[in-house]
Amino acid sequence: MTGRQGWQDLQERIRAEIQHLAAINASDRRWPMPFCAALASGLPLLVGAYFDHLEYGLVSSLGGMVFLYAPNTPLYHRMVSLMASGFAMSACYTLGVLSQFLPWALVPTLAFIALLVSMVCRFYALGPPGSLFFMMAAAIGAYSPINVLDVPLHVGLLTMGCLLACLIAFFYSIYALRQQAPQAVTPLPPPSFEFVIVDSVIIGMFVGLSLMLAESMHLERPYWVPVSCLAVIQGASLRAVWTKQTHRIAGTAIGLLLTWGLLALPLDKWSISLMMIALAFIIEVLVVRHYGLAAVFITPLTIFLAEAARLGAGPTDALLIARLFDTVLGSLAGLLGGVCLHHPRFRALLGQQLRRLIPRRLLS
């Protein structure tokens, strides 16, 4: 009887977990926002295709992701926040690109970027997507094979993408604010040493460890490991971390099948550009409703964003398998980091050691 009751309890827990993972969230996001977000990242692709330099359009498209950082606040606050995010995106990408010329500094640089952007995002209470796209820009830049003399060109391309996103956000905001009143600008909460410093150190440490692990395994494209780690570890709770890593792994696995089907199509520069615009629109519609469903479409978008200029240079099957392995490795590292991040005793011990290292005058 006890064994049967235990089996029934296990079945009930599994059923409740599946229902939780499959739950669709309600959303009041209207279609103009996903459309403008897709436009911000898609217009550079069309310009690059027109001039037969799709690789330039891909760099600017990455800068267009800054559109997603526009808050639902009055216009003056919205644009200041967006331009600050654009500057941060350009700075992270620049540091990432420069780190590839000093291989010994690559892992520490990306770990420092993860720590720094997490600290700033937490201090200024920046909402989703948080530090994710800043880290993505740095990681892709670090593993983009370019010559040192091309660094200003690529940084300029990404910055132009950020400026285009700000311009699109300005006109979108004028339209959106006529349809719906903005949210009030809430005062920033008092900065907590544990929330801003300790948590950011844990995040930076595990992002760096995930990349170090990927480098030690000699993965061909290890940049996706720290990005997956950061996407998972920045969950608001341990439950959110678990849910996000499950959604990310499952969504990536299904998304790779979609990517395989898309790669089987006769793609050219124009079809790739239009397809990425459509994927960006679908993602922004779904991501607030169900992260796992959005991850299905995030997978092909990010693969094309980072690899479209090199597609056809090697077997696509190896690329897809590598992406799945990178995602699983990074997500598991993020889950382990999430356990430490939400473990009171670990945070207290680390916080105590950090307070000893920081001068007392900086803590007052």
Side-chain angles (χ1 to χ4, degrees), residues 252 256 303 315-328:
T252 299
L256 289 174
I303 288 178
T316 57
D317 292 346
L319 172 63
L320 300 182
I321 294 174
R323 174 52 59 88
L324 178 61
F325 183 81
D326 294 346
T327 301
V328 173

Side-chain angles (χ1 to χ4, degrees), residues 337-354:
V339 172
C340 295
L341 186 66
H342 298 285
H343 194 284
R345 292 184 61 183
F346 181 85
R347 295 174 74 248
L349 180 61
L350 180 61
Q352 183 180 7
Q353 299 302 319
L354 289 175

Side-chain angles (χ1 to χ4, degrees), residues 147-306:
N147 298 320
V148 65
L149 295 179
D150 291 332
V151 171
L153 171 62
H154 282 73
V155 173
L157 288 169
L158 184 126
T159 304
M160 290 174 66
C162 294
L163 293 176
L164 176 63
C166 291
L167 183 64
I168 293 175
F170 175 76
F171 289 107
Y172 164 74
S173 300
I174 293 176
Y175 166 80
L177 292 175
R178 296 187 62 178
Q179 305 297 317
Q180 187 176 8
Q183 298 176 358
V185 180
T186 57
L188 294 176
S192 165
F193 180 83
E194 286 72 19
F195 181 73
V196 176
I197 305 296
V198 176
D199 290 0
S200 299
V201 169
I202 296 175
I203 292 172
M205 180 173 61
F206 274 92
V207 169
L209 288 175
S210 69
L211 181 57
M212 188 181 302
L213 180 61
E215 287 282 356
S216 66
M217 299 174 69
H218 302 289
L219 300 182
E220 184 178 358
R221 298 173 178 88
Y223 60 84
W224 199 244
V225 176
V227 173
S228 297
C229 176
L230 182 60
V232 170
I233 198 175
Q234 64 180 4
S237 63
L238 185 57
R239 176 66 187 181
V241 171
W242 166 259
T243 301
K244 203 162 190 178
Q245 72 95 27
T246 304
H247 281 167
R248 193 167 186 86
I249 293 176
T252 299
I254 299 174
L256 289 174
L257 296 177
L258 174 61
T259 307
W260 179 80
L262 294 174
L263 290 174
L265 299 175
L267 299 175
D268 59 10
K269 58 185 181 181
W270 293 107
S271 57
I272 289 177
S273 301
L274 294 174
M275 180 182 62
M276 292 179 67
I277 293 174
L279 288 172
F281 177 80
I282 295 172
I283 289 168
E284 292 310 313
V285 170
L286 292 177
V287 71
V288 291
R289 293 173 170 84
H290 193 277
Y291 183 77
L293 290 177
V296 174
F297 300 93
I298 291 173
T299 301
L301 178 65
T302 52
I303 288 178
F304 281 101
L305 184 63

Side-chain angles (χ1 to χ4, degrees), residues 113-123 131 196 200 203-204 230:
I113 291 173
L115 184 154
L116 185 61
V117 296
S118 298
M119 194 179 300
V120 173
C121 289
R122 285 170 175 263
F123 183 86
S131 57
V196 176
S200 299
I203 292 172
L230 182 60

Side-chain angles (χ1 to χ4, degrees), residues 14-91:
I14 294 176
R15 190 178 300 111
E17 181 68 19
I18 294 175
Q19 290 177 350
H20 175 78
L21 293 174
I24 304 296
N25 302 318
S27 174
D28 58 353
R29 177 174 288 184
R30 302 177 181 179
W31 70 266
M33 186 274 171
F35 175 78
C36 290
L39 202 62
S41 61
L43 273 181
L45 295 172
L46 297 177
V47 174
Y50 177 80
F51 288 103
D52 202 23
H53 278 286
L54 185 60
E55 69 277 12
Y56 292 169
L58 290 169
V59 178
S60 291
S61 177
L62 183 59
M65 298 292 182
V66 81
F67 178 91
L68 302 176
Y69 287 95
N72 295 323
T73 51
L75 185 61
Y76 75 92
H77 182 268
R78 184 179 305 203
M79 297 310 300
V80 169
S81 301
L82 200 59
M83 287 186 286
S85 299
F87 171 79
M89 182 84 78
S90 298

